mmCIF file of all heavy atoms in Angstrom:
data_model
loop_
_atom_site.group_PDB
_atom_site.id
_atom_site.type_symbol
_atom_site.label_atom_id
_atom_site.label_comp_id
_atom_site.label_asym_id
_atom_site.label_seq_id
_atom_site.Cartn_x
_atom_site.Cartn_y
_atom_site.Cartn_z
ATOM 1 N N ASN A 147 19.629 30.989 -1.617
ATOM 2 C CA ASN A 147 20.587 31.710 -0.779
ATOM 3 C C ASN A 147 21.584 30.751 -0.145
ATOM 4 O O ASN A 147 22.121 31.032 0.924
ATOM 5 C CB ASN A 147 19.839 32.490 0.325
ATOM 6 C CG ASN A 147 19.009 31.573 1.222
ATOM 7 O OD1 ASN A 147 18.609 30.501 0.803
ATOM 8 N ND2 ASN A 147 18.722 31.994 2.445
ATOM 9 N N ILE A 209 20.898 34.319 -4.406
ATOM 10 C CA ILE A 209 20.092 35.460 -3.934
ATOM 11 C C ILE A 209 20.246 35.592 -2.411
ATOM 12 O O ILE A 209 20.777 34.690 -1.754
ATOM 13 C CB ILE A 209 18.591 35.308 -4.310
ATOM 14 C CG1 ILE A 209 17.999 34.018 -3.726
ATOM 15 C CG2 ILE A 209 18.401 35.349 -5.819
ATOM 16 C CD1 ILE A 209 16.481 33.882 -3.933
ATOM 17 N N SER A 210 19.753 36.716 -1.876
ATOM 18 C CA SER A 210 19.887 36.963 -0.433
ATOM 19 C C SER A 210 18.832 36.153 0.335
ATOM 20 O O SER A 210 17.854 35.662 -0.255
ATOM 21 C CB SER A 210 19.682 38.442 -0.135
ATOM 22 O OG SER A 210 18.319 38.769 -0.384
ATOM 23 N N THR A 211 19.003 36.083 1.653
ATOM 24 C CA THR A 211 18.030 35.373 2.491
ATOM 25 C C THR A 211 16.677 36.080 2.459
ATOM 26 O O THR A 211 15.622 35.429 2.416
ATOM 27 C CB THR A 211 18.578 35.259 3.932
ATOM 28 O OG1 THR A 211 19.791 34.491 3.874
ATOM 29 C CG2 THR A 211 17.598 34.563 4.866
ATOM 30 N N ALA A 212 16.697 37.439 2.435
ATOM 31 C CA ALA A 212 15.426 38.176 2.371
ATOM 32 C C ALA A 212 14.701 37.855 1.060
ATOM 33 O O ALA A 212 13.478 37.648 1.046
ATOM 34 C CB ALA A 212 15.685 39.676 2.486
ATOM 35 N N ALA A 213 15.458 37.790 -0.035
ATOM 36 C CA ALA A 213 14.836 37.483 -1.330
ATOM 37 C C ALA A 213 14.296 36.051 -1.347
ATOM 38 O O ALA A 213 13.251 35.772 -1.953
ATOM 39 C CB ALA A 213 15.851 37.697 -2.460
ATOM 40 N N MET A 214 15.006 35.161 -0.664
ATOM 41 C CA MET A 214 14.547 33.756 -0.593
ATOM 42 C C MET A 214 13.214 33.705 0.171
ATOM 43 O O MET A 214 12.270 33.020 -0.253
ATOM 44 C CB MET A 214 15.617 32.926 0.129
ATOM 45 C CG MET A 214 15.402 31.440 0.060
ATOM 46 S SD MET A 214 15.793 30.797 -1.579
ATOM 47 C CE MET A 214 15.653 29.036 -1.281
ATOM 48 N N ALA A 215 13.132 34.427 1.300
ATOM 49 C CA ALA A 215 11.880 34.449 2.081
ATOM 50 C C ALA A 215 10.746 35.013 1.227
ATOM 51 O O ALA A 215 9.625 34.486 1.241
ATOM 52 C CB ALA A 215 12.066 35.272 3.351
ATOM 53 N N GLU A 216 11.053 36.061 0.454
ATOM 54 C CA GLU A 216 10.011 36.644 -0.413
ATOM 55 C C GLU A 216 9.517 35.626 -1.430
ATOM 56 O O GLU A 216 8.331 35.577 -1.747
ATOM 57 C CB GLU A 216 10.583 37.836 -1.189
ATOM 58 C CG GLU A 216 10.385 39.166 -0.497
ATOM 59 C CD GLU A 216 11.150 40.267 -1.211
ATOM 60 O OE1 GLU A 216 11.136 40.296 -2.465
ATOM 61 O OE2 GLU A 216 11.783 41.058 -0.514
ATOM 62 N N ARG A 217 10.419 34.820 -1.943
ATOM 63 C CA ARG A 217 9.993 33.806 -2.923
ATOM 64 C C ARG A 217 9.038 32.802 -2.258
ATOM 65 O O ARG A 217 8.065 32.376 -2.859
ATOM 66 C CB ARG A 217 11.202 33.084 -3.531
ATOM 67 C CG ARG A 217 12.064 33.985 -4.413
ATOM 68 C CD ARG A 217 13.160 33.196 -5.132
ATOM 69 N NE ARG A 217 12.611 32.332 -6.168
ATOM 70 C CZ ARG A 217 12.294 32.721 -7.395
ATOM 71 N NH1 ARG A 217 12.492 33.974 -7.764
ATOM 72 N NH2 ARG A 217 11.795 31.863 -8.256
ATOM 73 N N PHE A 218 9.327 32.421 -0.994
ATOM 74 C CA PHE A 218 8.427 31.486 -0.295
ATOM 75 C C PHE A 218 7.060 32.138 -0.047
ATOM 76 O O PHE A 218 6.028 31.488 -0.187
ATOM 77 C CB PHE A 218 9.040 31.022 1.028
ATOM 78 C CG PHE A 218 10.140 30.005 0.850
ATOM 79 C CD1 PHE A 218 11.397 30.194 1.414
ATOM 80 C CD2 PHE A 218 9.932 28.848 0.110
ATOM 81 C CE1 PHE A 218 12.410 29.260 1.247
ATOM 82 C CE2 PHE A 218 10.939 27.904 -0.066
ATOM 83 C CZ PHE A 218 12.185 28.116 0.508
ATOM 84 N N VAL A 219 7.064 33.414 0.339
ATOM 85 C CA VAL A 219 5.785 34.115 0.548
ATOM 86 C C VAL A 219 5.012 34.127 -0.777
ATOM 87 O O VAL A 219 3.801 33.882 -0.814
ATOM 88 C CB VAL A 219 6.021 35.551 1.083
ATOM 89 C CG1 VAL A 219 4.715 36.348 1.061
ATOM 90 C CG2 VAL A 219 6.579 35.499 2.504
ATOM 91 N N GLY A 220 5.734 34.363 -1.870
ATOM 92 C CA GLY A 220 5.104 34.369 -3.193
ATOM 93 C C GLY A 220 4.484 33.031 -3.550
ATOM 94 O O GLY A 220 3.542 32.964 -4.348
ATOM 95 N N GLU A 225 4.252 34.277 6.369
ATOM 96 C CA GLU A 225 5.541 34.965 6.483
ATOM 97 C C GLU A 225 6.479 34.325 7.528
ATOM 98 O O GLU A 225 7.664 34.130 7.235
ATOM 99 C CB GLU A 225 5.320 36.441 6.785
ATOM 100 C CG GLU A 225 6.564 37.232 6.444
ATOM 101 C CD GLU A 225 6.321 38.728 6.380
ATOM 102 O OE1 GLU A 225 5.208 39.133 5.987
ATOM 103 O OE2 GLU A 225 7.241 39.459 6.745
ATOM 104 N N ALA A 228 7.948 31.294 6.017
ATOM 105 C CA ALA A 228 8.865 31.664 4.927
ATOM 106 C C ALA A 228 10.212 32.110 5.495
ATOM 107 O O ALA A 228 11.277 31.714 4.998
ATOM 108 C CB ALA A 228 8.243 32.784 4.092
ATOM 109 N N MET A 229 10.164 32.904 6.577
ATOM 110 C CA MET A 229 11.419 33.391 7.193
ATOM 111 C C MET A 229 12.178 32.220 7.829
ATOM 112 O O MET A 229 13.400 32.137 7.729
ATOM 113 C CB MET A 229 11.112 34.424 8.276
ATOM 114 C CG MET A 229 10.160 35.496 7.826
ATOM 115 S SD MET A 229 10.959 37.019 7.440
ATOM 116 C CE MET A 229 11.428 37.583 9.014
ATOM 117 N N ALA A 232 13.721 30.208 4.959
ATOM 118 C CA ALA A 232 14.829 30.929 4.314
ATOM 119 C C ALA A 232 16.059 30.937 5.229
ATOM 120 O O ALA A 232 17.192 30.781 4.769
ATOM 121 C CB ALA A 232 14.403 32.356 3.966
#
Side-chain angles (χ1 to χ4, degrees):
N147 59 335
I209 58 174
S210 68
T211 298
M214 190 74 173
E216 268 172 42
R217 292 187 70 82
F218 285 126
V219 170
E225 199 165 327
M229 311 258 289

